[in-house]
Amino acid sequence: MANSALEIVGLCLTLVGLIMSAATTGMPMWRVTAFIGENIIVFETRYEGLWMNCFRQANIRMQCKVYDSLLALSPDLQAARGLMCCSLALGGIGLLIAIVGMQCTACIHNNSRAKRMVLIIAGSMIIGSCICVIIPVSWTGHVIIRDFYNPLLIDAQRRELGEALYIGWVTSAFLFSGGCIFACCNISEDKGQDRYMYSRNSHYSAYPPQPQLLVQPQTFIQPQPLVQAQPLQRQSSIYSYDSRYPSIRSAVAYL
């Protein structure tokens, strides 16, 4: 029962993380214009995302333009595109596989071992989705901080961390929690089934040793020599045992 509740919690965390990952991928607020130094034009804000650039004027109107060429983008932006798409794919497939292996579903009947293996695979895929989210988000944040303190850049070229980066870090936390729950929620149950538990308060009594039975050596009996049977001598008689009348040979001998 406890494992079923943990699986539902892991499903909710993974679903929320998947939605936030899709929002992070589509949001253009990865890099935001920094208003520092002599830059006093504050009514216009520039956003740079994975797919487009956007300008907002006086918090009223926003205009966006898709990037013209993929090859013209920076290496970190190209890698971020691919990793975020991989994160969405792994998270979606892992979520579907986790639904198949949950105890509250009847997709796999009477095979708890198969269900556990399915959940472990789903948890591994969700953790992989978490890694695919945190790498581009952290890489982009590192590049923004490095360029911000670069003395060779002017103030207009410096950028700040956008809202999409913070959402991405929270997304990775949700996906990591959901993947760990799916991968580890049934390990304790497996160990409990394979291990035999004994009560400490039970009375232990040693099995008393049985006395060994002494076997008396058997005396050797010398075999007696075989006595050959003597052939029976046929005695002549007057009368035959098979008939009440004397036979002819007996009558002749009698005469």
Side-chain angles (χ1 to χ4, degrees):
M1 188 65 184
N3 290 333
S4 300
L6 285 176
E7 291 173 358
I8 295 175
V9 172
L11 181 66
C12 295
L13 291 175
T14 305
L15 183 60
V16 173
L18 187 62
I19 296 174
M20 296 176 66
S21 178
T24 304
T25 306
M27 289 177 63
M29 291 80 172
W30 282 62
R31 301 183 183 186
V32 184
T33 304
F35 301 104
I36 58 176
E38 298 179 356
N39 189 4
I40 61 175
I41 305 176
V42 296
F43 62 89
E44 182 177 334
T45 307
R46 182 177 180 179
Y47 301 101
E48 297 178 3
L50 299 179
W51 312 97
M52 63 188 70
N53 284 334
C54 296
F55 291 90
R56 173 176 290 180
Q57 296 179 356
N59 295 328
I60 297 175
R61 183 180 178 183
M62 177 181 290
Q63 297 179 353
C64 296
K65 180 184 177 182
V66 181
Y67 294 119
D68 297 331
S69 176
L70 178 63
L71 300 178
L73 301 177
S74 58
D76 59 328
L77 195 58
Q78 295 179 12
R81 278 187 173 186
L83 289 174
M84 292 303 294
C85 292
C86 290
S87 172
L88 291 174
L90 288 175
I93 297 174
L95 184 64
L96 295 178
I97 295 176
I99 293 175
V100 173
M102 292 178 63
Q103 296 183 3
C104 58
T105 59
C107 297
I108 302 176
H109 296 281
N110 300 326
N111 196 344
S112 59
R113 181 179 179 83
K115 279 183 172 289
R116 289 191 292 269
M117 292 300 297
V118 168
L119 286 180
I120 291 174
I121 295 173
S124 302
M125 296 182 69
I126 294 171
I127 293 175
S129 176
C130 164
I131 296 174
C132 291
V133 170
I134 198 172
I135 289 177
V137 172
S138 301
W139 190 1
T140 304
H142 169 71
V143 172
I144 292 173
I145 296 173
R146 183 194 62 188
D147 293 342
F148 189 85
Y149 294 103
N150 189 0
L152 301 178
L153 298 178
I154 61 177
D155 294 340
Q157 295 177 344
R158 290 184 174 91
R159 298 291 184 266
E160 291 183 355
L161 301 177
E163 293 86 350
L165 300 182
Y166 298 102
I167 297 176
W169 283 316
V170 177
T171 300
S172 61
F174 274 95
L175 292 176
F176 182 77
S177 301
C180 289
I181 288 175
F182 283 128
C184 304
C185 66
N186 289 313
I187 292 180
S188 60
E189 183 181 358
D190 296 343
K191 292 182 179 180
Q193 292 179 356
D194 298 336
R195 182 176 56 190
Y196 296 96
M197 300 297 296
Y198 296 94
S199 176
R200 295 182 178 180
N201 298 326
S202 61
H203 179 69
Y204 173 78
S205 59
Y207 185 76
Q210 297 293 334
Q212 297 181 357
L213 298 177
L214 299 177
V215 179
Q216 298 293 337
Q218 297 181 358
T219 57
F220 180 73
I221 301 176
Q222 185 176 3
Q224 298 293 333
L226 297 177
V227 179
Q228 296 181 356
Q230 298 293 333
L232 297 177
Q233 296 179 1
R234 185 175 180 181
Q235 298 178 0
S236 61
S237 59
I238 299 176
Y239 297 97
S240 173
Y241 292 99
D242 298 335
S243 175
R244 67 178 66 180
Y245 301 101
S247 61
I248 298 175
R249 182 180 298 178
S250 300
V252 172
Y254 178 79
L255 294 176

